[in-house]
């Protein structure tokens, strides 16, 4: 028995209204998933470690490949992805490094540049920055 036209239209309307709610619309997915997390972490660390305004704390015994891996995990976890951050707390990692506000904000500027270069929408960029902003209190040491 054929489905009446009106019933078919109602069914299609219901599917159209429900389907977007079922899709994974996490910030993690909007940013581009795991490949994007890795790209963001790699480019951010490379840029920050090379910039005169922020490279001081990256010089010496910093294992940059490990740092990039942990940062990708942290970005993934913070943005709603399936990853679990396996590193130490921000306070433990940055304690004693005497990171200044200017160094911190230089890295934030680099993150904005990386996200802009990747074409991340302003709303998603701001959402990620808002998730990361509370870490400032555990990273920056009062001068």
């Amino acid at each position: 028995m054929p489905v009446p036209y009106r019933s078919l239209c109602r069914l299609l309307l219901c599917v159209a209204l429900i389907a977007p709610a079922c899709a994974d619309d996490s910030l993690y997915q909007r940013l581009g998933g795991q490949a994007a997390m890795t790209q963001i972490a790699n480019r951010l660390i490379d840029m920050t470690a090379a910039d005169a305004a922020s490279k001081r704390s990256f010089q010496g015994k910093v294992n940059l490949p490990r740092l990039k891996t942990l940062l990708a995990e942290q970005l993934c976890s913070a943005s709603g992805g399936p990853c679990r951050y396996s590193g130490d707390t921000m306070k433990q990692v940055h304690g004693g490094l005497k990171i200044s506000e200017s160094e911190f904000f230089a890295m934030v500027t680099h993150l904005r540049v990386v996200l802009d270069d990747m074409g991340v929408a302003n709303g998603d960029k701001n959402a990620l920055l808002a998730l990361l902003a509370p870490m400032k209190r555990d990273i920056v040491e009062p001068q």
Side-chain angles (χ1 to χ4, degrees):
M1 178 173 177
V3 177
Y5 178 74
R6 190 174 234 175
S7 295
L8 181 60
C9 288
R10 283 186 191 141
L11 176 64
L12 291 175
L13 179 60
C14 287
V15 169
L17 292 174
I18 293 170
C22 296
D24 182 2
D25 193 32
S26 66
L27 179 58
Y28 170 79
Q29 288 299 331
R30 292 192 312 271
L31 291 171
Q34 190 57 50
M37 300 301 114
T38 300
Q39 182 180 3
I40 293 166
N42 289 344
R43 291 190 57 210
L44 177 59
I45 296 303
D46 288 344
M47 190 179 291
T48 305
D51 185 354
S54 54
K55 71 180 182 179
R56 180 194 59 83
S57 58
F58 289 87
Q59 295 173 333
K61 298 180 181 181
V62 177
N63 181 339
L64 292 180
R66 176 170 158 47
L67 176 58
K68 290 174 183 180
T69 297
L70 290 172
L71 179 56
E73 283 180 7
Q74 190 173 49
L75 292 169
C76 174
S77 177
S79 65
C83 307
R84 181 174 169 187
Y85 175 64
S86 63
D88 294 328
T89 68
M90 293 298 98
K91 191 167 226 137
Q92 291 169 323
V93 171
H94 298 92
L97 294 178
K98 297 183 170 125
I99 296 175
S100 68
E101 280 203 1
S102 64
E103 289 171 312
F104 179 84
F105 286 118
M107 189 167 188
V108 171
T109 298
H110 300 145
L111 178 56
R112 288 179 177 276
V113 168
V114 169
L115 296 173
D116 285 343
D117 288 351
M118 292 175 63
V120 172
N122 279 334
D124 292 337
K125 180 173 42 178
N126 290 336
L128 181 61
L129 290 167
L131 291 169
L132 300 175
M135 294 179 192
K136 177 181 180 258
R137 68 178 158 261
D138 293 332
I139 295 172
V140 174
E141 289 187 38
Q143 304 296 318

